[in-house]
Amino acid sequence: MLLLFKIGFLPIRIWDLLDILIVGYLIYLIYRLLRGNIAFNIFIGVLTLYVFYWLVRQLEMQLLSAVLDKFVSVGVIVIVIIFQQEVRNFLLLLGKSALQQRSNFLVKILLGRNTPATLQDMSREVMAVKTALQHLSEQQTGALIVLAKDANLENLAYSGVRIDALISEQLLESIFNKTSPLHDGAVILRKGKIVSAGGVLPLSEKADLPQKAGLRHRAAIGVTEQLNVAAVVVSEETGRISWAYEGQFIQDVEMGELEAFLGAHL
Ligand SMILES: Nc1ncnc2c1ncn2[C@@H]1O[C@H](COP(=O)(O)OP(=O)(O)OP(=O)(O)O)[C@@H](O)[C@H]1O
Protein backbone atom coordinates (compact mmCIF):
# COMPACT_ATOMS: atom_id res chain seq x y z
CA MET A 1 0.00 0.00 0.00
CA LEU A 2 3.16 2.22 -0.14
CA LEU A 3 2.47 4.07 3.13
CA LEU A 4 4.56 7.26 3.28
CA PHE A 5 3.67 8.71 6.69
CA LYS A 6 0.76 9.25 9.08
CA ILE A 7 -0.91 12.48 10.17
CA GLY A 8 -2.55 11.47 13.46
CA PHE A 9 -4.73 8.49 12.54
CA LEU A 10 -4.66 9.39 8.80
CA PRO A 11 -2.31 7.23 6.71
CA ILE A 12 -0.84 9.06 3.70
CA ARG A 13 0.19 6.97 0.70
CA ILE A 14 2.28 8.06 -2.28
CA TRP A 15 -0.92 7.87 -4.38
CA ASP A 16 -2.64 10.37 -2.08
CA LEU A 17 0.16 12.87 -2.66
CA LEU A 18 -0.02 12.25 -6.41
CA ASP A 19 -3.80 12.67 -6.23
CA ILE A 20 -3.46 16.06 -4.52
CA LEU A 21 -0.78 17.22 -6.97
CA ILE A 22 -2.86 16.25 -10.03
CA VAL A 23 -6.01 17.93 -8.67
CA GLY A 24 -3.95 21.03 -7.80
CA TYR A 25 -2.51 21.13 -11.33
CA LEU A 26 -5.97 20.72 -12.91
CA ILE A 27 -7.35 23.56 -10.75
CA TYR A 28 -4.37 25.72 -11.81
CA LEU A 29 -5.09 24.96 -15.50
CA ILE A 30 -8.77 25.87 -15.04
CA TYR A 31 -7.74 29.11 -13.30
CA ARG A 32 -5.32 29.94 -16.15
CA LEU A 33 -8.04 29.38 -18.73
CA LEU A 34 -10.75 31.33 -16.98
CA ARG A 35 -8.65 34.17 -15.50
CA GLY A 36 -10.03 37.54 -16.62
CA ASN A 37 -12.84 35.81 -18.48
CA ILE A 38 -16.55 36.29 -17.88
CA ALA A 39 -16.75 32.48 -17.48
CA PHE A 40 -14.70 32.83 -14.28
CA ASN A 41 -17.72 34.43 -12.52
CA ILE A 42 -19.99 31.59 -13.69
CA PHE A 43 -17.41 29.08 -12.43
CA ILE A 44 -17.40 30.75 -8.98
CA GLY A 45 -21.23 30.67 -9.00
CA VAL A 46 -21.26 26.95 -9.79
CA LEU A 47 -18.64 26.27 -7.13
CA THR A 48 -20.65 28.21 -4.50
CA LEU A 49 -23.78 26.26 -5.41
CA TYR A 50 -21.90 22.97 -5.05
CA VAL A 51 -20.44 23.93 -1.62
CA PHE A 52 -23.96 24.97 -0.50
CA TYR A 53 -25.36 21.62 -1.71
CA TRP A 54 -22.63 19.72 0.17
CA LEU A 55 -23.41 21.69 3.38
CA VAL A 56 -27.15 21.06 3.03
CA ARG A 57 -26.51 17.31 2.71
CA GLN A 58 -24.19 17.27 5.71
CA LEU A 59 -26.90 19.03 7.76
CA GLU A 60 -29.46 16.51 6.44
CA MET A 61 -31.90 19.20 5.29
CA GLN A 62 -34.10 16.82 3.28
CA LEU A 63 -36.28 19.21 1.31
CA LEU A 64 -33.55 21.60 0.19
CA SER A 65 -31.21 18.77 -0.64
CA ALA A 66 -33.95 17.10 -2.77
CA VAL A 67 -34.35 20.35 -4.76
CA LEU A 68 -30.60 20.88 -5.16
CA ASP A 69 -30.19 17.20 -6.07
CA LYS A 70 -32.13 17.87 -9.26
CA PHE A 71 -29.71 20.66 -10.23
CA VAL A 72 -26.57 18.73 -9.36
CA SER A 73 -27.65 15.54 -11.18
CA VAL A 74 -27.80 17.41 -14.51
CA GLY A 75 -24.98 19.73 -13.45
CA VAL A 76 -22.20 18.08 -15.45
CA ILE A 77 -24.17 18.33 -18.71
CA VAL A 78 -25.14 21.94 -17.99
CA ILE A 79 -21.51 22.81 -17.19
CA VAL A 80 -20.27 21.20 -20.41
CA ILE A 81 -22.84 23.23 -22.39
CA ILE A 82 -22.11 26.53 -20.63
CA PHE A 83 -18.33 26.04 -20.70
CA GLN A 84 -18.23 24.43 -24.15
CA GLN A 85 -15.43 26.73 -25.34
CA GLU A 86 -13.49 26.48 -22.07
CA VAL A 87 -13.72 22.66 -21.97
CA ARG A 88 -12.32 22.63 -25.50
CA ASN A 89 -9.49 25.00 -24.51
CA PHE A 90 -8.79 22.95 -21.39
CA LEU A 91 -8.36 19.72 -23.39
CA LEU A 92 -6.26 21.62 -25.92
CA LEU A 93 -4.00 22.91 -23.14
CA LEU A 94 -3.61 19.40 -21.71
CA GLY A 95 -2.78 17.86 -25.09
CA LYS A 96 -0.54 20.68 -26.20
CA SER A 97 2.31 20.28 -23.74
CA ALA A 98 2.35 16.52 -24.27
CA LEU A 99 2.50 16.92 -28.06
CA GLN A 100 5.16 19.63 -27.86
CA GLN A 101 7.39 17.44 -25.72
CA ARG A 102 6.92 14.51 -28.12
CA SER A 103 7.74 16.53 -31.24
CA ASN A 104 10.84 18.13 -29.63
CA PHE A 105 12.02 14.64 -28.68
CA LEU A 106 11.43 13.30 -32.22
CA VAL A 107 13.25 16.24 -33.83
CA LYS A 108 16.24 15.65 -31.56
CA ILE A 109 16.28 11.91 -32.35
CA LEU A 110 15.85 12.33 -36.11
CA LEU A 111 18.03 15.39 -36.75
CA GLY A 112 20.34 15.42 -33.78
CA ARG A 113 20.16 19.22 -34.04
CA ASN A 114 18.86 21.85 -36.46
CA THR A 115 20.60 21.74 -39.81
CA PRO A 116 22.53 24.92 -40.71
CA ALA A 117 20.18 25.57 -43.68
CA THR A 118 17.12 25.48 -41.39
CA LEU A 119 18.73 27.88 -38.96
CA GLN A 120 19.67 30.26 -41.76
CA ASP A 121 16.14 30.18 -43.18
CA MET A 122 14.72 30.76 -39.73
CA SER A 123 16.82 33.83 -39.03
CA ARG A 124 16.04 35.23 -42.49
CA GLU A 125 12.32 34.82 -41.81
CA VAL A 126 12.60 36.33 -38.34
CA MET A 127 14.44 39.36 -39.73
CA ALA A 128 11.94 39.75 -42.59
CA VAL A 129 8.92 39.71 -40.24
CA LYS A 130 10.64 41.93 -37.68
CA THR A 131 11.63 44.53 -40.29
CA ALA A 132 8.13 44.51 -41.81
CA LEU A 133 6.57 45.00 -38.36
CA GLN A 134 9.01 47.81 -37.61
CA HIS A 135 8.13 49.63 -40.84
CA LEU A 136 4.39 49.08 -40.32
CA SER A 137 4.73 50.40 -36.79
CA GLU A 138 6.61 53.53 -37.97
CA GLN A 139 3.96 54.20 -40.62
CA GLN A 140 1.13 53.47 -38.14
CA THR A 141 -0.29 50.84 -40.44
CA GLY A 142 -2.47 48.29 -38.65
CA ALA A 143 -1.40 44.64 -38.95
CA LEU A 144 -2.31 41.27 -37.49
CA ILE A 145 -0.03 38.26 -38.01
CA VAL A 146 -0.60 34.73 -36.75
CA LEU A 147 2.52 32.61 -36.21
CA ALA A 148 1.22 29.11 -36.70
CA LYS A 149 4.47 27.14 -36.48
CA ASP A 150 3.26 23.54 -36.85
CA ALA A 151 -0.41 24.09 -36.06
CA ASN A 152 -2.83 23.15 -38.80
CA LEU A 153 -4.92 26.20 -39.57
CA GLU A 154 -6.68 25.02 -42.71
CA ASN A 155 -10.07 26.33 -41.57
CA LEU A 156 -8.70 29.73 -40.70
CA ALA A 157 -6.60 29.95 -43.86
CA TYR A 158 -9.69 29.29 -45.97
CA SER A 159 -11.50 32.21 -44.31
CA GLY A 160 -8.98 34.48 -46.08
CA VAL A 161 -7.23 34.49 -49.43
CA ARG A 162 -4.70 31.73 -50.08
CA ILE A 163 -1.19 33.05 -50.85
CA ASP A 164 1.39 30.29 -50.27
CA ALA A 165 4.47 32.46 -50.82
CA LEU A 166 7.85 32.62 -49.11
CA ILE A 167 7.94 35.11 -46.24
CA SER A 168 9.38 38.47 -47.26
CA GLU A 169 9.18 41.90 -45.66
CA GLN A 170 8.08 43.52 -48.95
CA LEU A 171 5.18 41.11 -49.37
CA LEU A 172 4.04 41.57 -45.75
CA GLU A 173 4.19 45.36 -46.06
CA SER A 174 2.27 45.24 -49.37
CA ILE A 175 -0.47 43.10 -47.85
CA PHE A 176 -1.04 45.47 -44.91
CA ASN A 177 -0.72 48.63 -47.01
CA LYS A 178 -3.96 50.54 -46.45
CA THR A 179 -4.76 50.56 -50.15
CA SER A 180 -4.36 46.79 -50.51
CA PRO A 181 -7.61 44.80 -50.80
CA LEU A 182 -6.08 42.25 -48.40
CA HIS A 183 -5.11 44.63 -45.59
CA ASP A 184 -8.18 43.80 -43.45
CA GLY A 185 -7.97 40.67 -41.30
CA ALA A 186 -5.06 38.40 -40.40
CA VAL A 187 -2.04 37.07 -42.23
CA ILE A 188 -1.11 33.50 -41.33
CA LEU A 189 2.56 32.43 -41.37
CA ARG A 190 3.49 28.79 -41.23
CA LYS A 191 6.67 26.85 -41.98
CA GLY A 192 8.46 29.74 -43.72
CA LYS A 193 5.45 30.72 -45.82
CA ILE A 194 2.73 33.32 -45.91
CA VAL A 195 -0.19 30.89 -46.06
CA SER A 196 -3.03 33.37 -46.41
CA ALA A 197 -4.17 36.95 -45.83
CA GLY A 198 -7.46 38.58 -44.88
CA GLY A 199 -8.32 35.78 -42.42
CA VAL A 200 -11.12 36.22 -39.88
CA LEU A 201 -10.08 35.07 -36.40
CA PRO A 202 -12.18 34.17 -33.34
CA LEU A 203 -12.52 37.10 -30.94
CA SER A 204 -11.51 36.84 -27.28
CA GLU A 205 -14.28 37.41 -24.76
CA LYS A 206 -11.93 38.48 -21.98
CA ALA A 207 -13.42 41.21 -19.82
CA ASP A 208 -10.16 42.62 -18.43
CA LEU A 209 -8.44 43.82 -21.60
CA PRO A 210 -7.09 47.39 -21.81
CA GLN A 211 -9.84 49.82 -22.85
CA LYS A 212 -8.07 50.67 -26.10
CA ALA A 213 -7.92 47.05 -27.25
CA GLY A 214 -10.36 46.85 -30.12
CA LEU A 215 -11.25 44.05 -32.50
CA ARG A 216 -7.79 43.59 -33.99
CA HIS A 217 -6.29 43.00 -30.55
CA ARG A 218 -9.23 40.83 -29.45
CA ALA A 219 -8.78 38.70 -32.57
CA ALA A 220 -5.06 38.24 -31.80
CA ILE A 221 -5.80 37.10 -28.26
CA GLY A 222 -8.81 35.02 -29.30
CA VAL A 223 -6.89 32.89 -31.78
CA THR A 224 -4.19 32.10 -29.22
CA GLU A 225 -6.86 31.09 -26.68
CA GLN A 226 -8.30 28.55 -29.05
CA LEU A 227 -5.30 27.31 -31.02
CA ASN A 228 -1.68 26.48 -30.41
CA VAL A 229 -0.38 29.64 -32.12
CA ALA A 230 1.09 33.05 -31.33
CA ALA A 231 -0.02 36.39 -32.78
CA VAL A 232 1.54 39.82 -33.28
CA VAL A 233 -0.41 43.08 -33.73
CA VAL A 234 0.56 46.54 -34.92
CA SER A 235 -1.92 49.13 -33.74
CA GLU A 236 -3.15 51.48 -36.44
CA GLU A 237 -4.00 54.03 -33.76
CA THR A 238 -0.65 54.14 -31.92
CA GLY A 239 1.80 52.16 -34.08
CA ARG A 240 2.60 50.05 -31.00
CA ILE A 241 3.49 46.40 -31.40
CA SER A 242 1.93 43.81 -29.09
CA TRP A 243 1.86 40.06 -29.01
CA ALA A 244 -0.45 37.37 -27.72
CA TYR A 245 0.29 33.81 -26.70
CA GLU A 246 -1.89 31.28 -24.84
CA GLY A 247 -4.46 34.03 -24.28
CA GLN A 248 -1.90 36.30 -22.60
CA PHE A 249 -1.35 39.72 -24.08
CA ILE A 250 1.83 41.84 -23.89
CA GLN A 251 1.61 45.42 -25.13
CA ASP A 252 4.19 47.78 -26.51
CA VAL A 253 7.11 45.37 -26.90
CA GLU A 254 10.71 46.34 -27.63
CA MET A 255 12.38 45.27 -30.89
CA GLY A 256 14.80 42.95 -29.06
CA GLU A 257 11.95 41.17 -27.28
CA LEU A 258 10.02 40.99 -30.54
CA GLU A 259 12.94 39.27 -32.28
CA ALA A 260 13.16 36.66 -29.51
CA PHE A 261 9.39 36.12 -29.64
CA LEU A 262 9.45 35.68 -33.43
CA GLY A 263 12.42 33.32 -33.14
CA ALA A 264 10.50 31.16 -30.68
CA HIS A 265 7.22 31.06 -32.59
CA LEU A 266 8.01 31.26 -36.30
N1 LIG B 1 -12.23 38.73 -36.19
C1 LIG B 1 -11.23 39.37 -36.82
N2 LIG B 1 -10.26 38.66 -37.40
C2 LIG B 1 -9.23 39.30 -38.01
N3 LIG B 1 -9.10 40.63 -38.09
C3 LIG B 1 -10.06 41.38 -37.53
C4 LIG B 1 -11.17 40.79 -36.86
N4 LIG B 1 -11.94 41.78 -36.38
C5 LIG B 1 -11.34 42.94 -36.76
N5 LIG B 1 -10.21 42.70 -37.44
C6 LIG B 1 -9.27 43.70 -38.00
O1 LIG B 1 -9.20 44.78 -37.10
C7 LIG B 1 -9.55 45.99 -37.76
C8 LIG B 1 -10.35 46.85 -36.82
O2 LIG B 1 -9.58 47.10 -35.78
P1 LIG B 1 -10.03 47.96 -34.50
O3 LIG B 1 -9.74 49.40 -34.78
O4 LIG B 1 -11.37 47.56 -34.03
O5 LIG B 1 -8.99 47.27 -33.54
P2 LIG B 1 -7.96 47.81 -32.50
O6 LIG B 1 -7.63 46.61 -31.67
O7 LIG B 1 -8.48 49.06 -31.85
O8 LIG B 1 -6.70 48.11 -33.39
P3 LIG B 1 -6.03 49.51 -33.80
O9 LIG B 1 -5.22 49.94 -32.59
O10 LIG B 1 -5.19 49.09 -34.95
O11 LIG B 1 -7.14 50.47 -34.15
C9 LIG B 1 -10.38 45.58 -38.94
O12 LIG B 1 -10.25 46.54 -39.98
C10 LIG B 1 -9.78 44.25 -39.31
O13 LIG B 1 -8.67 44.42 -40.17
Side-chain angles (χ1 to χ4, degrees), residues 23-43:
V23 171
Y25 182 62
L26 289 178
I27 291 175
Y28 166 70
L29 283 185
I30 291 174
Y31 167 73
R32 244 179 71 180
L33 273 177
L34 300 184
R35 182 176 41 182
N37 201 318
I38 195 104
F40 190 70
N41 298 347
I42 304 177
F43 177 70

Side-chain angles (χ1 to χ4, degrees), residues 141-144 183-186 198-203 212-220 233-240:
T141 302
L144 170 52
H183 79 279
D184 253 345
V200 178
L201 307 180
L203 296 175
K212 289 214 159 178
L215 291 181
R216 202 190 310 273
H217 292 85
R218 274 195 184 275
V233 182
V234 179
S235 164
E236 193 170 75
E237 216 176 299
T238 61
R240 284 183 186 154

